[in-house]
Amino acid sequence: MAKSLLALIFLLAFAYSIEPAGKAKLEKLRALSSASQGMIRLNTTGYYHYIVDSPRPYIVVVYFTADVTKFKCLQCEQIHGLLDQVIYSYKTAGAESNSDDPTQLPVFFAEIEYLTETQEIFQKHEFMSAPNLFVSKPKNILNNGKTFTVKREDMWEFNMGSDAHAYKLLEFINNRSGRNIQMQTPVLQSLMMFIYMVAIFLFIATLVYKLKDLLLVPYMWLFGSILVYFVCISGVVYDIIHGVPMVGSGQKGVPELIHSGQRSQYGAEGFLMGFLITIGGLGVVALGALSKLPPYRIRLFGFAILLAVIYSAYTIVSVYRIKARWYGPGFYPPDYYTRGPLMRDQGYSF
């Protein structure tokens, strides 16, 4: 009986000692976040203290990154820029404070860079590359001495085929942290965007006024229609919404023009495909107008136009096979591929 009473007293004392320790870590994280504008830098000691060791009455979104110059990790810099907007949204919503809902823990953001003194952390997570994102919650990381065991749904290991943009990151972090934070844009950034749009509008209005006589020429409307079609087919709206870079970076830091993801693209890739599709379409239309030319020119221009159409189609198919490796001769995907209505996005991005 006496031993049971002593054990109960010990457990109660241990439980009460956890709460002050957790509060101390929580307040320290708030101070570090305030001093670092939201992104806390961790070393190995800090990672063990705030991410691995209990108690952890908070959530930390950890960004594993590498030096862009030393390791040519252009994607690390790209994801960091996207995270900045997510961090601003969380801080604006007051996510670092205790919520009225006890199930919603304070949320912080931290980064750990791959260095000689931090490589132990990367090795224990068995990372093969960077960047990676881990939403650390109480009791979702276990340390057995050799490796860290985490829930796979709380980890996002990026690769060149990842469809990464600010809204996608926000959705992932919201789902893992149990929050419903909406994307917020800094006032200065919104103001600059407004000024930029007004400047474009004024420029276009001035240009239309100066060229009003030229705009009455029918061929100008044809050219304008082709230009609008090119812009639309190139995915410019998608690029603006998701902050798409013009080019990416391959595994060895080599510039990459074609994104391997079926639902993603680089800016330059979109313009290239839009140009080829436009040229191919114009070529088909032009073939029907060759009959108005003299006979000796029909063969010359016909051969050149047909060559341009074939080259455009061949290049488009070749690029699509990079993005959809299942694609081969024919018009149908293999039996294991996603089927259903077009709204399910079967990957026919072209």
Side-chain angles (χ1 to χ4, degrees), residues 6 237 253 259 267 334 344:
L6 286 174
V237 175
H259 198 294
R344 293 186 63 183

Side-chain angles (χ1 to χ4, degrees), residues 23-43:
K23 285 185 176 180
K25 292 169 72 173
L26 182 58
E27 293 303 322
K28 183 61 176 178
L29 281 174
R30 286 182 179 136
L32 290 173
S33 178
S34 177
S36 60
Q37 297 182 340
M39 181 66 89
I40 303 168
R41 291 186 63 87
L42 295 176
N43 54 21

Side-chain angles (χ1 to χ4, degrees), residues 229-279:
Y229 175 80
F230 166 73
V231 171
C232 293
I233 205 70
S234 299
V236 174
V237 175
Y238 172 90
D239 296 343
I240 295 174
I241 292 176
H242 298 114
V244 173
M246 289 302 293
V247 295
S249 175
Q251 295 182 352
K252 297 183 179 180
V254 179
E256 186 177 57
L257 181 63
I258 307 301
H259 198 294
S260 57
Q262 286 183 244
R263 302 184 182 185
S264 306
Q265 69 171 30
Y266 295 122
E269 172 191 348
F271 286 121
L272 174 61
M273 292 297 100
F275 176 76
L276 290 174
I277 293 172
T278 303
I279 290 297

